[in-house]
Amino acid sequence: MSYSLVGPTTRELDGGMHQMAAPEEQELSQAQTEKLLQFQDLTGLESMDQCRRTLEQHNWNIEAAVQDRLNEQEGVPSVFNPPPSRPLQVNTADHRVYSYIVSRPQPRGLLGWSYYLIMLPFRLTYYTLLDVFRFALRFVRPDPRGRVTDPVGDVVSFIQTFEEKYGRSHPVFYQGTYSQALNDAKRELRYLLVYLHGEDHQDTDEFCRSTLCTEEVVTFINARMLFWACSTSKPEGFRVSQALRENTYPFLAMIMLKDRKMTVVGRLEGLVQPEDLINQLNFIMEANQTYLVSERLEREERNQTQVLRQQQDEAYLMSLRADQEKDRKKREEQEQKRQEEELVLQSALAEERKRRNLEEEKERKSECLPQEPPADDPESVKIVFKLPNDTRVERRFLFDQSLTVIYDFLFSLKETPEKYQIVTNFPRRVLPCLPTEEQPNPPTLKEAGLSRSEVLFVQDLTDD
């Protein structure tokens, strides 16, 4: 087994979604826009122009573009021209990706080497023909794994197949897409362990039965991290395989939030034993624990700042609502005052109109009154009127004149109230001065039983 570091920097697979920049001169199709956002999501690039240029250079092949971007970050040549592998020394202090590779054991003894040398030509021939066949098949039929149409279905199908073959005693699989697992790990600030299942690899069955499904490994993974897995024969697993670029199987990658981006911090490749797997995962977690603690502190600080800002906003809104309520009440009071003043003014105007109309009516009544008869006229009646304000008014009338005349006379006086009735003193009775339905023509003074000299009282009915 060997230990190595891959590249001078970490692979960054940021699960966050960045807002798109202003539209380019050439409008993108919906499929290209989705690839552009997906590429930005996987690489963590903030510049949409750079993302678009990279995808255009790779004919909008997102797998090749992501791999080349990761190669650039790691300081290795393009994926289309892979360099020969060379051993790298472990240096976790440089914050590089920790890589733990378990090599297959070398032949031992004469019998082992003899078997190895005998089988070597057959293996070389088999793998060469297999590679040639796969290469030729690309021109006839494109790899169907290149099109991811149902990523969740790919993961669920793999889980069902895994349980049918290896049983239900296994780490809890994340039942969602790779992007969803990244987002959940980022949101919950947890480690994400990614397992790529190579169905055709000779060590896969032994790893699943003897390592992955053991009780200690299951307990350790379930308690410490999220676990996402998929077969590379599925489009979703193949897409993740192209992004992570594993060298052999079984393959495990540890991903965490580092420097605000989802980053691969450890790679485990080859047939690893349960105890060794737990030790290596513990080593990776301990080496990166400070970053996770820092992220938690930063997130807590951001949350506190957000809560403080929210409290300030709520206080501001409460103050604003209070000011608005004060303004509303002030406007209502002003409006009510204006309405009251307008009502008083209208009432005063109505009273003034009523007063003028009453004066005009009094003048008309005064002009329509018959002349006062002389004192020596035998048909005249002298009447003294006692008004409600204790003033006395004297005037002569004729016996044959209607009681309406004395009513109109009193009405024409300024001292007379607006509504009144005329009452005799003894016996006390109200004179019918105004016409009614029963008596449309009021009686004359003589018919009313008045003598040549009378004292009549004017009773105010305004309040009634």
Side-chain angles (χ1 to χ4, degrees):
M1 60 183 67
S2 62
Y3 306 83
S4 63
L5 286 174
V6 180
T9 59
T10 60
R11 289 192 177 96
E12 297 175 346
L13 304 175
D14 192 354
M17 185 73 71
H18 300 281
Q19 294 181 349
M20 291 196 62
E24 301 285 340
E25 295 180 359
Q26 181 180 0
E27 189 176 354
L28 298 178
S29 66
Q30 183 177 359
Q32 289 176 334
T33 302
E34 292 177 356
K35 287 186 177 181
L36 187 63
L37 293 174
Q38 188 178 9
F39 178 77
Q40 186 187 46
D41 194 23
L42 291 172
T43 60
L45 287 175
E46 296 183 358
S47 173
M48 295 299 293
D49 292 336
Q50 185 178 356
C51 292
R52 179 173 179 172
R53 285 195 300 269
T54 305
L55 284 170
E56 287 176 345
Q57 290 172 358
H58 292 81
N59 250 346
W60 292 93
N61 186 327
I62 189 170
E63 289 82 5
V66 169
Q67 189 57 61
D68 255 13
R69 174 61 187 171
L70 296 178
N71 288 341
E72 292 177 7
Q73 293 176 341
E74 295 180 353
V76 297
S78 170
V79 67
F80 302 107
N81 299 295
S85 60
R86 55 185 179 87
L88 296 175
Q89 295 181 351
V90 175
N91 187 1
T92 56
D94 287 342
H95 313 299
R96 302 181 178 183
V97 179
Y98 174 73
S99 183
Y100 178 78
I101 302 175
V102 180
S103 304
R104 291 193 61 80
Q106 297 294 330
R108 294 182 179 180
L110 181 60
L111 184 60
W113 278 104
S114 300
Y115 178 77
Y116 175 78
L117 293 176
I118 292 173
M119 295 301 298
L120 181 60
F122 294 99
R123 282 198 296 267
L124 290 176
T125 303
Y126 170 75
Y127 286 115
T128 300
L129 292 176
L130 184 61
D131 290 341
V132 170
F133 175 74
R134 289 176 176 173
F135 180 78
L137 191 61
R138 292 181 184 176
F139 296 95
V140 178
R141 181 174 64 88
D143 193 337
R145 298 178 300 174
R147 297 182 59 186
V148 181
T149 56
D150 185 14
V152 176
D154 294 340
V155 175
V156 173
S157 175
F158 162 72
I159 295 174
Q160 293 174 350
T161 304
F162 186 93
E163 290 181 344
E164 291 174 359
K165 190 171 184 179
Y166 303 109
R168 302 180 65 87
S169 177
H170 55 73
V172 177
F173 290 112
Y174 182 93
Q175 298 196 19
T177 66
Y178 175 64
S179 298
Q180 291 171 344
L182 286 175
N183 288 333
D184 283 354
K186 181 178 182 180
R187 184 181 64 254
E188 299 173 12
L189 289 179
R190 298 182 64 185
Y191 293 99
L192 173 63
L193 184 62
V194 175
Y195 168 60
L196 293 179
H197 184 81
E199 295 180 355
D200 299 332
H201 197 273
Q202 55 189 341
D203 294 333
T204 297
D205 282 345
E206 184 178 352
F207 173 77
C208 293
R209 297 183 190 278
S210 304
T211 301
L212 190 59
C213 294
T214 58
E215 183 179 354
E216 58 268 30
V217 172
V218 171
T219 303
F220 177 82
I221 293 177
N222 289 342
R224 307 290 294 276
M225 62 198 70
L226 295 176
F227 184 63
W228 185 90
C230 192
S231 172
T232 55
S233 62
K234 304 291 184 181
E236 175 72 352
F238 180 73
R239 180 178 70 87
V240 178
S241 170
Q242 294 295 301
L244 298 180
R245 197 185 176 194
E246 73 280 8
N247 296 310
T248 186
Y249 299 98
F251 174 79
L252 294 165
M254 181 74 85
I255 302 175
M256 62 171 287
L257 184 63
K258 185 176 180 181
D259 299 329
R260 298 189 180 183
K261 294 182 179 181
M262 295 304 290
T263 305
V264 177
V265 295
R267 298 162 60 94
L268 286 77
E269 301 181 75
L271 182 58
V272 58
Q273 299 304 313
E275 183 179 357
D276 206 8
L277 174 61
I278 294 175
N279 291 337
Q280 295 303 321
L281 292 177
N282 263 325
F283 175 78
I284 295 172
M285 294 170 66
E286 291 174 0
N288 295 275
Q289 186 66 24
T290 54
Y291 297 104
L292 206 57
V293 172
S294 175
E295 290 290 346
R296 288 193 179 116
L297 292 176
E298 288 184 12
R299 179 170 294 185
E300 184 178 355
E301 183 178 354
R302 288 196 300 269
N303 291 338
Q304 291 178 352
T305 303
Q306 185 177 1
V307 170
L308 179 60
R309 186 181 296 113
Q310 184 177 358
Q311 292 175 348
Q312 292 174 345
D313 292 341
E314 290 177 355
Y316 169 76
L317 290 176
M318 290 179 61
S319 175
L320 180 62
R321 283 193 291 267
D323 293 340
Q324 291 175 344
E325 183 67 16
K326 289 181 181 178
D327 293 340
R328 185 186 65 80
K329 289 183 177 179
K330 185 177 180 180
R331 288 194 301 269
E332 289 181 354
E333 291 175 356
Q334 291 176 347
E335 179 65 18
Q336 184 177 1
K337 184 178 179 181
R338 185 191 65 78
Q339 291 179 356
E340 291 175 352
E341 291 176 350
E342 185 177 353
L343 186 62
V344 170
L345 179 60
Q346 291 178 353
S347 178
L349 292 176
E351 289 292 332
E352 180 64 21
R353 284 195 300 269
K354 184 177 179 181
R355 186 187 61 79
R356 286 199 303 266
N357 293 336
L358 185 62
E359 289 180 355
E360 292 175 358
E361 183 68 16
K362 287 178 180 291
E363 290 178 2
R364 283 197 302 271
K365 293 292 184 181
S366 178
E367 293 174 357
C368 294
L369 287 174
Q371 291 183 356
E372 184 179 6
D376 57 353
D377 190 337
E379 296 296 325
S380 66
V381 178
K382 184 179 75 171
I383 301 177
V384 177
F385 298 98
K386 295 188 68 174
L387 301 179
N389 59 358
D390 293 334
T391 60
R392 289 171 174 263
V393 178
E394 182 180 332
R395 191 183 189 279
R396 291 182 298 277
F397 299 90
L398 295 175
F399 273 114
D400 59 356
Q401 289 178 341
S402 173
L403 290 178
T404 305
V405 176
I406 64 173
Y407 189 90
D408 290 344
F409 167 73
L410 291 173
F411 183 79
S412 65
L413 300 178
K414 293 182 179 180
E415 297 84 356
T416 308
E418 181 180 354
K419 294 178 64 178
Y420 58 93
Q421 63 183 7
I422 304 173
V423 182
T424 61
N425 186 21
F426 184 83
R428 179 178 174 80
R429 60 191 178 95
V430 178
L431 298 179
C433 299
L434 297 177
T436 62
E437 292 182 358
E438 298 176 354
Q439 192 175 18
N441 297 316
T444 62
L445 275 64
K446 187 175 183 179
E447 293 173 346
L450 298 182
S451 61
R452 290 183 56 85
S453 178
E454 289 283 348
V455 177
L456 300 179
F457 295 88
V458 179
Q459 185 177 357
D460 189 359
L461 298 179
T462 304
D463 293 339
D464 297 341

